[in-house]
Amino acid sequence: VLLAVMAGMYAVYHGPEGLQGIARRTHRYAAILAAGLTAGGVELTQGAFFDTLTARVPGKADAVVAAAREAGVNLYRVDADHVSMSCDETTGRAQLTAVWGAFGVTADIEALDAATEDTLPSALLRSDAYMTHPVFHAHRSETSMLRYLRKLADRDYALDRGMIPLGSCTMKLNATTEMESVTWPEFGQMHPFAPVDQAQGYVTLITELEERLAEVTGYDKVSIQPNAGSQGELAGLLAVRAYHRANGDEQRTVCLIPSSAHGTNAASAVMAGMKVVVVKTADDGEVDVADLRAKIEQYRDELSVLMITYPSTHGVFEEHVADICAEVHDAGGQVYVDGANLNALVGLAKPGHFGGDVSHLNLHKTFCIPHGGGGPGVGPVGVRAHLAPYLPNHPLQPTAGPETGVGPISAAPWGSAGILPISWSYVRLMGGEGLKRATQVAVLAANYIAKRLEPHFPVLYTGPAGLVAHECIVDLRPLSKATGVTVDDIAKRLIDYGFHAPTMSFPVAGTLMIEPTESEDLAELDRFCDTMIAIRAEIEKVAGGEWPADDNPLRNAPHTAAALGGEWNHAYTRDEAVFPAGVSAADKYWPPVRRIDGAFGDRNLVCSCPPLDEYDN
Ligand SMILES: *Cc1c(COP(=O)(O)O)cnc(C)c1O
């Protein structure tokens, strides 16, 4: 979503005229470049063009590319006889002169500018209006743009406001120190296909990060190419498939997945051409070992891989994980350990050592890259040596993966390399001891919350010692049944108290999954627990009949500032609505919208844009 926001704001700032101006200027430079080359006797083969030209230079492509590079411009060598080049809004006169020089052409740019027409084919020019929404016309000064961004940010509940206890998401601090370098031109302006000898800093950073991630996970080799955890899953499963094929085991296509797994696991397995067989969950939330054994036996000859999440999606360290891995290996299968929950393991245990053959990690969870709304992400895949030949590679960049690899999993050779400095900085700043301590504090924080909440809300799953891993699931189903107060009511009420809701109804319907991470200090953990306990007391008032079941602060949460205006016809006061225990008026977070019936809202989209007929001019 960060990348979508950046692109969207680019459009908001420039508007339709601005974007057209940028495009016209880009084309103008390409047209003048073309005119100079043609006048200098260079043959162009691309026909009509916008920003990209292709020149035919029989036998001389390498020499031209080398000469241009000498002058500070990268051209694209199509083959021994052809060179291609693009202009964009950053192209300037000096670059045109440099490119002409590389082709052995001298041209007078002023004269060409005066003599050259734009060559955009008129039949392709757009004539309809576009970007007609007022927001694309309102902000043309930096001040106005700044205020618009601020206004949007104020409506958001982000980590700079308070805890986002979303279980399975690891919403930890994205430190400014870690993030800052992403804006440096040395990182931000590197082209993904720049010649490797110009990207040695990046190569060093990528190599160091891959090596450190290999050390953290206990695997032999790591590829940072996948752009998401789910893409890492696909890459890992493709490696497993290629490995079985190389051993003549074409028929090994069954992927065993516990029913508690993250939804991406099954989707990735299907994309990798596998057949998904679901393994049951036992009453204690762990993988049902008897069912797993039966399935291993049933599919012994077709078993490709078991995908397990560790610690499990129920937030518990399963004690028999090593035995499970051994049994799968005995049957000729591989073990995929979904490592998205690595925040509970870093520095304490290594999936590559307790039985995993392959894992993905989520750098946008455990390693501090910001995320939300679906990215941006990096989902490195780590493998043991026997799978290393089947990691992703890239046809245009031989150094980006093994020659025997399965091909590219994302368009760029090193995926979302631009955000790797964040994770690299995190690992460097923390050091080995720091990373381990972060894990310990994250696990401690989750257990602190579990213990403080336990008397008020039962914790659904714990390990044998009564402890959870880095997150805990509180079970609201008995309460909901007894009082009618639902998981939605509690999640929305948390907003009135100034919290983002935890994960709702995943992986168990009617529950909340809470993950505090190591980033929240004791004061914030206590603020959260005190709030949950205060909400529990509110539920009591509903149960006791003090507040009606259909008109109470929980059912009507969250309360906006607008909701306070006008007449107040509720069974509770305005103060009870927006300033419940512990909420100060000065620090109040005001939600911008009231509750939308989730399922109804999803199916009945309402457009808050101006009506369509206003676009008509
Ligand atoms: C987040 C998560 C994933 C998927 O990662 P994406 O980057 O969202 O694709 C997979 N498995 C588990 C256990 C996760 O928590």
Side-chain angles (χ1 to χ4, degrees), residues 167-170 227-233 261-265 309-313 338-341 360-362 364-365 371 374-375 377-379 471 506:
S168 208
C169 286
T170 312
N227 279 323
S230 44
Q231 218 181 54
E233 291 170 23
H262 196 278
T264 50
N265 287 189
T309 304
Y310 196 81
S312 78
T313 309
D338 181 329
N341 290 344
H360 76 269
L361 323 176
N362 281 24
H364 47 293
K365 290 179 182 167
H371 62 126
V378 181
E471 57 194 4
F506 173 87

Side-chain angles (χ1 to χ4, degrees), residues 474-497:
V474 293
D475 193 357
L476 306 173
R477 291 170 297 184
L479 253 186
S480 297
K481 213 168 160 204
T483 65
V485 175
T486 67
V487 64
D488 292 50
D489 296 338
I490 297 172
K492 307 294 178 194
R493 186 60 175 154
L494 276 165
I495 302 173
D496 281 336
Y497 280 85

Side-chain angles (χ1 to χ4, degrees), residues 521-559:
D521 62 15
L522 187 57
E524 185 71 354
L525 296 180
D526 277 333
R527 188 172 77 92
F528 178 76
C529 294
D530 292 344
T531 296
M532 287 294 288
I533 294 165
I535 288 177
R536 182 70 184 79
E538 292 183 340
I539 297 171
E540 264 333 297
K541 290 195 185 173
V542 179
E546 192 172 325
W547 286 332
D550 59 354
D551 184 27
N552 59 67
L554 293 132
R555 180 52 47 89
N556 294 330
H559 297 84

Side-chain angles (χ1 to χ4, degrees), residues 164-305:
I164 300 186
L166 279 171
S168 208
C169 286
T170 312
M171 301 300 289
K172 62 164 72 174
L173 174 71
N174 315 124
T176 307
T177 313
E178 293 152 11
M179 306 261 292
E180 195 179 9
S181 60
V182 167
T183 65
W184 297 346
E186 291 85 345
F187 288 119
Q189 285 179 14
M190 180 65 72
H191 193 282
F193 291 101
V196 178
D197 60 5
Q198 294 172 21
Q200 284 305 297
Y202 254 116
V203 171
T204 303
L205 181 139
I206 289 166
T207 310
E208 288 184 7
L209 186 60
E210 285 179 348
E211 283 171 6
R212 291 198 166 110
L213 294 177
E215 194 187 333
V216 162
T217 53
Y219 286 111
D220 297 305
K221 194 87 188 122
V222 169
S223 164
I224 51 80
Q225 197 188 85
N227 279 323
S230 44
Q231 218 181 54
E233 291 170 23
L234 177 59
L237 292 174
L238 289 176
V240 167
R241 199 181 65 165
Y243 169 77
H244 285 313
R245 284 186 176 166
N247 293 338
D249 282 332
E250 286 281 339
Q251 82 292 353
R252 289 198 176 271
T253 57
V254 166
C255 179
L256 300 179
I257 301 182
S259 60
S260 62
H262 196 278
T264 50
N265 287 189
S268 301
V270 171
M271 282 182 75
M274 295 185 179
K275 186 177 143 196
V276 175
V277 173
V278 176
V279 180
K280 286 187 202 148
T281 301
D283 291 341
D284 60 0
E286 306 211 355
V287 173
D288 182 332
V289 180
D291 189 49
L292 177 64
R293 290 210 173 105
K295 299 261 157 78
I296 291 174
E297 217 29 65
Q298 185 181 348
Y299 297 101
R300 188 159 271 274
D301 300 328
E302 299 153 76
L303 181 59
S304 175
V305 61

Side-chain angles (χ1 to χ4, degrees), residues 392-410:
N393 57 8
H394 201 286
L396 297 179
Q397 184 44 268
T399 62
E403 210 181 328
T404 47
V406 293
I409 194 88
S410 70

